[in-house]
Amino acid sequence: MSSNRDIDNLIELMAKLPGLGPRSARRAVLHLIRKRALLLTPLADAMLRVAETARECLNCGNVGTSDICDICESEERATGELCVVEDVADLWAMERAGVFKGRYHVLGGTLSALDGVGPDELRIPRLKDRITAEGITEVILALNATVDGQTTAHYIADQLEAQVRLTSLAQGVPIGGELDYLDDGTITAALRARKEL
């Protein structure tokens, strides 16, 4: 009976992961049990190691296994460009694209009056410190195109005005996107950000 409780507990914990509900979690746990030697044991070992070693980078907020992440440690990444993102997942998405070669700054969220999140709850004061300390020449605001994301971008732009070049990611029609499937806001942003050919 206790082993069923352990399995049920694992299913409940797995169901709390993003993208997994109770049914998906149950299927995943059953698969792990069936592939115990191949998946379950190595996964449990890897999770234990990560639980013991994972930490936020003291400089930028990325997640790694040392106090300063590999990106902040790399002299090759000291280009003077600093890409500001909302969350670690956004940093990882930018890295997956492999286009940006500078350093990052993870805010840890966005400003939100409703949720009581102000500049001090985010890493905005640390951002200001880094601009001077690291000789940053350009800050790229790569924040989500939401109300809170844009509010945060405008706040940061006001705080950093005249200190550094400020840019933001282009917004609009995705590659392969069809106008008929886009919402009005995306079409508006794309039209405003149009460029000459």
mmCIF file of all heavy atoms in Angstrom, residues 26-51:
data_model
loop_
_atom_site.group_PDB
_atom_site.id
_atom_site.type_symbol
_atom_site.label_atom_id
_atom_site.label_comp_id
_atom_site.label_asym_id
_atom_site.label_seq_id
_atom_site.Cartn_x
_atom_site.Cartn_y
_atom_site.Cartn_z
ATOM 1 N N ARG A 26 0.219 10.686 -15.130
ATOM 2 C CA ARG A 26 0.045 9.248 -14.877
ATOM 3 C C ARG A 26 0.713 8.429 -15.985
ATOM 4 O O ARG A 26 1.430 7.472 -15.714
ATOM 5 C CB ARG A 26 -1.452 8.930 -14.773
ATOM 6 C CG ARG A 26 -1.779 7.618 -14.140
ATOM 7 C CD ARG A 26 -3.259 7.388 -13.820
ATOM 8 N NE ARG A 26 -4.232 8.213 -14.505
ATOM 9 C CZ ARG A 26 -4.814 9.291 -13.972
ATOM 10 N NH1 ARG A 26 -4.510 9.699 -12.778
ATOM 11 N NH2 ARG A 26 -5.704 9.975 -14.661
ATOM 12 N N ARG A 27 0.505 8.847 -17.239
ATOM 13 C CA ARG A 27 1.143 8.139 -18.350
ATOM 14 C C ARG A 27 2.667 8.250 -18.271
ATOM 15 O O ARG A 27 3.378 7.282 -18.519
ATOM 16 C CB ARG A 27 0.652 8.698 -19.691
ATOM 17 C CG ARG A 27 -0.737 8.216 -20.073
ATOM 18 C CD ARG A 27 -1.049 8.509 -21.528
ATOM 19 N NE ARG A 27 -1.102 9.931 -21.818
ATOM 20 C CZ ARG A 27 -2.185 10.682 -21.735
ATOM 21 N NH1 ARG A 27 -3.327 10.146 -21.355
ATOM 22 N NH2 ARG A 27 -2.144 11.963 -22.028
ATOM 23 N N ALA A 28 3.168 9.423 -17.925
ATOM 24 C CA ALA A 28 4.618 9.624 -17.822
ATOM 25 C C ALA A 28 5.204 8.758 -16.713
ATOM 26 O O ALA A 28 6.246 8.116 -16.895
ATOM 27 C CB ALA A 28 4.936 11.099 -17.573
ATOM 28 N N VAL A 29 4.544 8.709 -15.567
ATOM 29 C CA VAL A 29 5.041 7.903 -14.445
ATOM 30 C C VAL A 29 5.029 6.420 -14.810
ATOM 31 O O VAL A 29 5.988 5.693 -14.529
ATOM 32 C CB VAL A 29 4.236 8.180 -13.153
ATOM 33 C CG1 VAL A 29 4.533 7.150 -12.083
ATOM 34 C CG2 VAL A 29 4.536 9.593 -12.647
ATOM 35 N N LEU A 30 3.969 5.959 -15.455
ATOM 36 C CA LEU A 30 3.921 4.557 -15.875
ATOM 37 C C LEU A 30 5.053 4.247 -16.854
ATOM 38 O O LEU A 30 5.690 3.190 -16.760
ATOM 39 C CB LEU A 30 2.566 4.233 -16.513
ATOM 40 C CG LEU A 30 1.412 4.065 -15.530
ATOM 41 C CD1 LEU A 30 0.093 3.948 -16.283
ATOM 42 C CD2 LEU A 30 1.637 2.852 -14.637
ATOM 43 N N HIS A 31 5.316 5.144 -17.767
ATOM 44 C CA HIS A 31 6.411 4.951 -18.726
ATOM 45 C C HIS A 31 7.755 4.897 -17.999
ATOM 46 O O HIS A 31 8.603 4.053 -18.304
ATOM 47 C CB HIS A 31 6.395 6.073 -19.765
ATOM 48 C CG HIS A 31 7.443 5.926 -20.814
ATOM 49 N ND1 HIS A 31 7.368 4.978 -21.818
ATOM 50 C CD2 HIS A 31 8.605 6.586 -21.011
ATOM 51 C CE1 HIS A 31 8.432 5.070 -22.586
ATOM 52 N NE2 HIS A 31 9.214 6.054 -22.112
ATOM 53 N N LEU A 32 7.951 5.797 -17.048
ATOM 54 C CA LEU A 32 9.194 5.809 -16.281
ATOM 55 C C LEU A 32 9.384 4.504 -15.513
ATOM 56 O O LEU A 32 10.490 3.960 -15.449
ATOM 57 C CB LEU A 32 9.213 6.993 -15.306
ATOM 58 C CG LEU A 32 9.405 8.365 -15.935
ATOM 59 C CD1 LEU A 32 9.124 9.463 -14.917
ATOM 60 C CD2 LEU A 32 10.796 8.503 -16.512
ATOM 61 N N ILE A 33 8.306 4.011 -14.931
ATOM 62 C CA ILE A 33 8.399 2.756 -14.164
ATOM 63 C C ILE A 33 8.733 1.586 -15.083
ATOM 64 O O ILE A 33 9.560 0.738 -14.742
ATOM 65 C CB ILE A 33 7.090 2.508 -13.371
ATOM 66 C CG1 ILE A 33 6.975 3.550 -12.249
ATOM 67 C CG2 ILE A 33 7.049 1.097 -12.804
ATOM 68 C CD1 ILE A 33 5.616 3.566 -11.564
ATOM 69 N N ARG A 34 8.103 1.565 -16.244
ATOM 70 C CA ARG A 34 8.384 0.481 -17.194
ATOM 71 C C ARG A 34 9.826 0.535 -17.696
ATOM 72 O O ARG A 34 10.403 -0.486 -18.037
ATOM 73 C CB ARG A 34 7.429 0.556 -18.378
ATOM 74 C CG ARG A 34 6.027 0.156 -18.035
ATOM 75 C CD ARG A 34 5.154 0.099 -19.282
ATOM 76 N NE ARG A 34 3.777 -0.077 -18.901
ATOM 77 C CZ ARG A 34 2.790 0.747 -19.215
ATOM 78 N NH1 ARG A 34 3.036 1.822 -19.951
ATOM 79 N NH2 ARG A 34 1.566 0.525 -18.817
ATOM 80 N N LYS A 35 10.392 1.732 -17.786
ATOM 81 C CA LYS A 35 11.770 1.923 -18.267
ATOM 82 C C LYS A 35 12.669 2.334 -17.089
ATOM 83 O O LYS A 35 13.488 3.240 -17.204
ATOM 84 C CB LYS A 35 11.811 3.016 -19.349
ATOM 85 C CG LYS A 35 10.884 2.791 -20.503
ATOM 86 C CD LYS A 35 11.438 1.754 -21.432
ATOM 87 C CE LYS A 35 10.530 1.671 -22.666
ATOM 88 N NZ LYS A 35 11.053 0.801 -23.661
ATOM 89 N N ARG A 36 12.516 1.636 -15.982
ATOM 90 C CA ARG A 36 13.201 1.994 -14.740
ATOM 91 C C ARG A 36 14.708 2.189 -14.929
ATOM 92 O O ARG A 36 15.263 3.213 -14.581
ATOM 93 C CB ARG A 36 12.937 0.923 -13.678
ATOM 94 C CG ARG A 36 13.520 1.232 -12.336
ATOM 95 C CD ARG A 36 13.206 0.132 -11.344
ATOM 96 N NE ARG A 36 11.829 -0.272 -11.496
ATOM 97 C CZ ARG A 36 10.911 -0.216 -10.542
ATOM 98 N NH1 ARG A 36 11.234 0.203 -9.370
ATOM 99 N NH2 ARG A 36 9.683 -0.605 -10.760
ATOM 100 N N ALA A 37 15.378 1.196 -15.477
ATOM 101 C CA ALA A 37 16.844 1.263 -15.607
ATOM 102 C C ALA A 37 17.267 2.295 -16.654
ATOM 103 O O ALA A 37 18.273 2.986 -16.487
ATOM 104 C CB ALA A 37 17.408 -0.108 -15.961
ATOM 105 N N LEU A 38 16.486 2.397 -17.718
ATOM 106 C CA LEU A 38 16.845 3.294 -18.819
ATOM 107 C C LEU A 38 16.502 4.759 -18.523
ATOM 108 O O LEU A 38 17.244 5.661 -18.905
ATOM 109 C CB LEU A 38 16.123 2.836 -20.096
ATOM 110 C CG LEU A 38 16.477 3.556 -21.380
ATOM 111 C CD1 LEU A 38 17.929 3.314 -21.741
ATOM 112 C CD2 LEU A 38 15.561 3.071 -22.504
ATOM 113 N N LEU A 39 15.383 5.013 -17.814
ATOM 114 C CA LEU A 39 14.911 6.381 -17.609
ATOM 115 C C LEU A 39 14.750 6.785 -16.143
ATOM 116 O O LEU A 39 15.251 7.837 -15.750
ATOM 117 C CB LEU A 39 13.560 6.577 -18.310
ATOM 118 C CG LEU A 39 13.565 6.712 -19.812
ATOM 119 C CD1 LEU A 39 12.149 6.771 -20.350
ATOM 120 C CD2 LEU A 39 14.307 7.964 -20.225
ATOM 121 N N LEU A 40 14.025 5.993 -15.370
ATOM 122 C CA LEU A 40 13.642 6.409 -14.016
ATOM 123 C C LEU A 40 14.846 6.638 -13.114
ATOM 124 O O LEU A 40 14.984 7.698 -12.505
ATOM 125 C CB LEU A 40 12.680 5.396 -13.380
ATOM 126 C CG LEU A 40 12.143 5.771 -11.997
ATOM 127 C CD1 LEU A 40 11.401 7.099 -12.045
ATOM 128 C CD2 LEU A 40 11.234 4.672 -11.472
ATOM 129 N N THR A 41 15.742 5.676 -13.046
ATOM 130 C CA THR A 41 16.902 5.808 -12.161
ATOM 131 C C THR A 41 17.833 6.938 -12.613
ATOM 132 O O THR A 41 18.203 7.789 -11.800
ATOM 133 C CB THR A 41 17.649 4.465 -12.046
ATOM 134 O OG1 THR A 41 16.719 3.477 -11.570
ATOM 135 C CG2 THR A 41 18.812 4.558 -11.102
ATOM 136 N N PRO A 42 18.202 7.009 -13.921
ATOM 137 C CA PRO A 42 19.049 8.137 -14.345
ATOM 138 C C PRO A 42 18.362 9.494 -14.149
ATOM 139 O O PRO A 42 19.015 10.478 -13.782
ATOM 140 C CB PRO A 42 19.316 7.878 -15.826
ATOM 141 C CG PRO A 42 19.046 6.420 -16.026
ATOM 142 C CD PRO A 42 18.022 6.043 -15.013
ATOM 143 N N LEU A 43 17.046 9.551 -14.371
ATOM 144 C CA LEU A 43 16.317 10.802 -14.182
ATOM 145 C C LEU A 43 16.334 11.213 -12.711
ATOM 146 O O LEU A 43 16.585 12.376 -12.385
ATOM 147 C CB LEU A 43 14.875 10.667 -14.683
ATOM 148 C CG LEU A 43 13.977 11.893 -14.499
ATOM 149 C CD1 LEU A 43 14.516 13.076 -15.301
ATOM 150 C CD2 LEU A 43 12.552 11.570 -14.907
ATOM 151 N N ALA A 44 16.094 10.269 -11.827
ATOM 152 C CA ALA A 44 16.118 10.565 -10.395
ATOM 153 C C ALA A 44 17.503 11.038 -9.962
ATOM 154 O O ALA A 44 17.636 11.997 -9.189
ATOM 155 C CB ALA A 44 15.696 9.332 -9.594
ATOM 156 N N ASP A 45 18.548 10.393 -10.465
ATOM 157 C CA ASP A 45 19.923 10.802 -10.134
ATOM 158 C C ASP A 45 20.215 12.214 -10.650
ATOM 159 O O ASP A 45 20.791 13.041 -9.940
ATOM 160 C CB ASP A 45 20.938 9.815 -10.724
ATOM 161 C CG ASP A 45 20.895 8.445 -10.057
ATOM 162 O OD1 ASP A 45 20.336 8.335 -8.939
ATOM 163 O OD2 ASP A 45 21.416 7.490 -10.674
ATOM 164 N N ALA A 46 19.819 12.480 -11.893
ATOM 165 C CA ALA A 46 20.056 13.801 -12.490
ATOM 166 C C ALA A 46 19.283 14.878 -11.727
ATOM 167 O O ALA A 46 19.812 15.969 -11.468
ATOM 168 C CB ALA A 46 19.659 13.807 -13.966
ATOM 169 N N MET A 47 18.049 14.592 -11.342
ATOM 170 C CA MET A 47 17.249 15.554 -10.595
ATOM 171 C C MET A 47 17.868 15.841 -9.230
ATOM 172 O O MET A 47 17.880 16.991 -8.775
ATOM 173 C CB MET A 47 15.809 15.068 -10.463
ATOM 174 C CG MET A 47 15.063 15.100 -11.786
ATOM 175 S SD MET A 47 13.379 14.498 -11.680
ATOM 176 C CE MET A 47 12.579 15.916 -10.983
ATOM 177 N N LEU A 48 18.400 14.830 -8.583
ATOM 178 C CA LEU A 48 19.052 15.015 -7.293
ATOM 179 C C LEU A 48 20.290 15.910 -7.439
ATOM 180 O O LEU A 48 20.495 16.846 -6.653
ATOM 181 C CB LEU A 48 19.433 13.661 -6.684
ATOM 182 C CG LEU A 48 20.088 13.713 -5.310
ATOM 183 C CD1 LEU A 48 19.158 14.359 -4.286
ATOM 184 C CD2 LEU A 48 20.469 12.320 -4.859
ATOM 185 N N ARG A 49 21.093 15.651 -8.484
ATOM 186 C CA ARG A 49 22.291 16.472 -8.713
ATOM 187 C C ARG A 49 21.914 17.927 -8.986
ATOM 188 O O ARG A 49 22.528 18.850 -8.449
ATOM 189 C CB ARG A 49 23.125 15.917 -9.868
ATOM 190 C CG ARG A 49 23.963 14.707 -9.491
ATOM 191 C CD ARG A 49 24.989 14.360 -10.572
ATOM 192 N NE ARG A 49 24.431 14.177 -11.908
ATOM 193 C CZ ARG A 49 23.857 13.050 -12.336
ATOM 194 N NH1 ARG A 49 23.777 11.992 -11.550
ATOM 195 N NH2 ARG A 49 23.390 12.974 -13.560
ATOM 196 N N VAL A 50 20.894 18.130 -9.813
ATOM 197 C CA VAL A 50 20.457 19.491 -10.138
ATOM 198 C C VAL A 50 19.890 20.179 -8.889
ATOM 199 O O VAL A 50 20.170 21.356 -8.645
ATOM 200 C CB VAL A 50 19.434 19.491 -11.297
ATOM 201 C CG1 VAL A 50 18.768 20.843 -11.447
ATOM 202 C CG2 VAL A 50 20.112 19.083 -12.595
ATOM 203 N N ALA A 51 19.138 19.432 -8.082
ATOM 204 C CA ALA A 51 18.584 20.010 -6.857
ATOM 205 C C ALA A 51 19.695 20.475 -5.922
ATOM 206 O O ALA A 51 19.548 21.480 -5.218
ATOM 207 C CB ALA A 51 17.693 18.992 -6.151
#
